Structure formats: C-alpha cells, structure tokens
Amino acid sequence: SQTIHQWPATLVQPVGSPLSLECTVEGTSNPNLYWYRQAAGRGLQLLFYSVGIGQISSEVPQNLSASRPQDRQFILSSKKLLLSDSGFYLCAWSLGRGVAKETQYFGPGTRLLVL
Amino acid sequence: AQKITQTQPGMFVQEKEAVTLDCTYDTSDQSYGLFWYKQPSSGEMIFLIYQGSYDEQNATEGRYSLNFQKARKSANLVISASQLGDSAMYFCAMRENVMVNFGNEKLTFGTGTRLTIIP
C-alpha cells in the first residue's frame, strides 16, 4: 500500500530564515506530487505540482519554491520566510494516469509558524 | 467568481441524525470531477467520495452519498446516521478539464464546513 510522509510535523521559524519541508511517498512509482497551503480557517491553495523528476509547475508566484530531486521526493523551500508564510502545508500524491476519478491522497501536514 | 462555494461555515447535528453539507460549483467544462474530503483536528485530509460529471448515478460510499444535481451545479454530501467521529472540517473540491489535463489532477477547494456532532 502507498504511504506519504511529511516532516517536520511542526516548525517555528523567525522571519527571514530559510525553509525546507520534505515530502516522500512510498509504494508507488512516478506519482504526481502536490504542495498545498492552508491558512487558518481557510481552504487549500495549490502552490506547486510535479508530474516527474525535475518538473515543477507553480500556481502562485511568491517567495516559495519546490524541487523534486527524486521520483518520490518533493521539497518545498524558501530563502527568506515572511510572516504571511505561516500556515499548514500539505503534500499530496496521485497516480497521474489522467483519468477523471484520479484521487489525491494527502500527507499528515506540517504546521509552520513564522514569528 | 468562486469555483467552489460552501455556504455553511459551521453545522451542529445530533448524533444518529443525517446531515447534508452543501457545495455548489462553477465551471464551463463538460467533463469534471467533484470530490469530498474530511479533515479531522489532526489536519490530515481524508478522501471520502467522488462524483464524475458524466456519472449517471449519484455516488455512494458506505454512510456517505453525494446528491449530484448537474443542472443546478450542486454536489451536496449526505452523511447518514452521523457519529461522534464525523466531527471535522469537510471540503468540497473540483477537478476541471479531466479530458485535457492529462497527468495533472489539480483540485480547487472550497472554504469548508465545520461539522460538530452532538451526543
């Protein structure tokens, strides 16, 4: 069965510091990978998605970036965090078959607080 | 305009009663998919049910069913015989252009409904 991991679970960082969040998927090959952000009491906003190694598409221009150095690894980064980067970051995967019922499965998330 | 609208920010329901969570959507595509996710206090998003725009029957998954009214662009989630464990945030989401965007299953989410089940 497939599992998705995220770490760290919780992170408190000062403004202007760098960020690196990691997401890994087990039990599947060549998945589509996604990074979402959820502000407090809000819905999910898609930040980045990837259909393969080194292939990153950005949905929202901001000071965040994403990378996919390996097939099942997705990393979210920032060189300098802003207060507005605080939120709950969720990684998700899907099989990437392009069928209508393609479902995204989410990781446990990382709570980021920028002070 | 919002693509997914969930008009109920919060709902309180007595245990064992049925509950309907509203979701309306906006799309000009003919082929799209609608999803419901549950988010308990732990934060993880749990997939519940899916409805395709061309599906002739309403989707059902155990105690969950989807009341799909295509002409009204609504996809309400119905939970039968609610349980205390159903207390959570519920999100409606849509995937558009399912016949075009091969390999990219982007989802657009609503703002969610917080459901509280009262014992």
Side-chain angles (χ1 to χ4, degrees):
Chain A
S1 63
Q2 300 89 357
T3 55
I4 178 169
H5 305 279
Q6 286 186 246
W7 63 87
T10 305
L11 191 61
V12 181
Q13 291 285 95
V15 170
S17 64
L19 173 74
S20 181
L21 303 181
E22 189 166 343
C23 169
T24 58
V25 180
E26 297 177 355
T28 187
S29 297
N30 196 31
N32 282 6
L33 297 172
Y34 307 82
W35 276 114
Y36 289 88
R37 178 170 60 199
Q38 184 178 26
R42 305 285 295 274
L44 275 67
Q45 179 187 39
L46 179 64
L47 301 176
F48 301 94
Y49 66 91
S50 171
V51 299
I53 296 175
Q55 301 178 62
I56 309 294
S57 296
S58 174
E59 289 294 302
V60 182
Q62 55 202 330
N63 68 319
L64 298 173
S65 63
S67 62
R68 184 170 177 174
Q70 300 181 41
D71 180 43
R72 290 167 288 179
Q73 184 184 32
F74 206 22
I75 297 173
L76 183 69
S77 304
S78 174
K79 292 182 179 179
K80 290 185 177 181
L81 283 169
L82 306 173
L83 288 174
S84 57
D85 291 325
S86 293
F88 188 51
Y89 289 81
L90 286 155
C91 181
W93 72 274
S94 66
L95 286 174
R97 296 170 300 179
V99 299
K101 196 178 178 180
E102 198 66 32
T103 301
Q104 291 185 21
Y105 299 96
F106 288 79
T110 295
R111 298 192 184 277
L112 172 66
L113 180 59
V114 182
L115 299 175
Chain B
Q2 294 290 328
K3 285 186 175 290
I4 297 288
T5 302
Q6 295 181 254
T7 58
Q8 306 152 311
M11 287 187 69
F12 291 85
V13 174
Q14 202 74 38
E15 189 180 6
K16 299 182 183 179
E17 290 185 352
V19 56
T20 298
L21 304 180
D22 295 341
C23 173
T24 58
Y25 58 91
D26 181 25
T27 183
S28 57
D29 296 334
Q30 296 301 309
S31 181
Y32 52 89
L34 297 157
F35 301 78
W36 277 91
Y37 284 85
K38 173 184 178 181
Q39 187 179 39
S41 57
S42 60
E44 185 174 353
M45 298 286 285
I46 302 168
F47 166 71
L48 295 178
I49 196 167
Y50 166 85
Q51 179 80 46
S53 59
Y54 287 116
D55 292 343
E56 294 184 353
Q57 293 186 335
N58 287 345
T60 59
E61 291 285 351
R63 293 187 299 113
Y64 304 108
S65 61
L66 206 151
N67 183 3
F68 182 48
Q69 299 186 46
K70 193 171 182 178
R72 299 177 64 178
K73 293 189 176 179
S74 73
N76 298 338
L77 176 70
V78 180
I79 306 174
S80 63
S82 58
Q83 303 171 355
L84 295 178
D86 294 332
S87 294
M89 282 289 288
Y90 288 81
F91 291 94
C92 180
M94 177 173 62
R95 178 186 168 208
E96 298 178 276
N97 289 326
V98 296
M99 304 305 289
V100 176
N101 281 348
F102 179 80
N104 169 26
E105 295 80 38
K106 294 194 290 183
L107 294 176
T108 301
F109 284 83
T111 54
T113 295
R114 181 172 298 280
L115 175 64
T116 302
I117 305 300
I118 305 168

